[in-house]
Amino acid sequence: MGILFNMRLFSLLTILVVIVSCTSQESPPASRSAQFTGYPQNLFNSFKTDCAGPGDKYIKTAAGSFECRETLSPEATAYLILSFDGYPQNLPQIVTQLKSTKNQAGYRVDAELFFLVPQKNGSTLRIPIESEQLDRDFSRLYTDYGGTPV
């Protein structure tokens, strides 16, 4: 379930759709953070593998910190450029960021999702993506890889 679930999660982000799902089983709390007893190497390996499609760019930003930058659909790109005064010669991207921090209990992993919209003046606008459904998806992902959502 790991790679297929991850591909679904990251595809979800690129098309800007929040999935409405019904489930009869108990779900973990919705969270973009989780605690792992050991370093979650399999989670990070899967994250890297899933960030290998056309228009994707995997970046290791620091020790234990990784980003996947993805190009967006033409419709989403146009929407962001028009809505946030973007610069059409430098297209917006969606970024999924995972950071791990060592602590007394093992490792804490935190996720962030945001759009980067380059501006005409040369700066870049960072627009956070907030979604209870995405938080639940992250919790399930963390649980699948042995973490406990916090």
Side-chain angles (χ1 to χ4, degrees):
M1 183 167 142
I3 291 177
L4 291 176
F5 181 83
N6 294 340
M7 288 172 41
R8 190 186 107 233
L9 175 65
F10 296 114
S11 294
L12 165 78
L13 297 175
T14 61
I15 60 174
L16 304 173
V17 175
V18 176
I19 295 176
V20 177
S21 66
C22 298
T23 179
S24 59
Q25 50 185 294
E26 191 172 319
S27 297
S31 179
R32 294 194 187 180
S33 300
Q35 183 66 44
F36 292 82
T37 55
Y39 187 75
Q41 188 64 54
N42 289 338
L43 172 69
F44 290 121
N45 288 345
S46 184
F47 182 70
K48 182 178 182 178
T49 300
D50 290 340
C51 186
D56 294 351
K57 184 176 182 181
Y58 175 82
I59 303 167
K60 181 176 181 177
T61 56
S65 183
F66 310 94
E67 287 185 356
C68 182
R69 293 181 178 215
E70 302 174 63
T71 56
L72 299 161
S73 69
E75 296 81 9
T77 297
Y79 173 81
L80 289 169
I81 289 171
L82 294 172
S83 297
F84 296 99
D85 198 28
Y87 185 59
Q89 277 64 35
N90 194 0
L91 300 179
Q93 295 178 314
I94 186 166
V95 179
T96 305
Q97 187 178 74
L98 292 180
K99 293 181 182 179
S100 67
T101 308
K102 187 163 178 45
N103 59 27
Q104 290 181 343
Y107 288 86
R108 178 184 168 116
V109 174
D110 298 292
E112 287 189 66
L113 295 123
F114 51 90
F115 295 110
L116 289 178
V117 182
Q119 302 292 285
K120 293 175 184 174
N121 66 7
S123 66
T124 301
L125 185 61
R126 181 177 164 150
I127 304 163
I129 301 170
E130 300 297 330
S131 164
E132 185 77 18
Q133 182 61 49
L134 289 175
D135 294 350
R136 283 191 293 273
D137 288 344
F138 268 106
S139 289
R140 283 197 273 311
L141 177 70
Y142 291 143
T143 301
D144 289 346
Y145 282 93
T148 302
V150 292

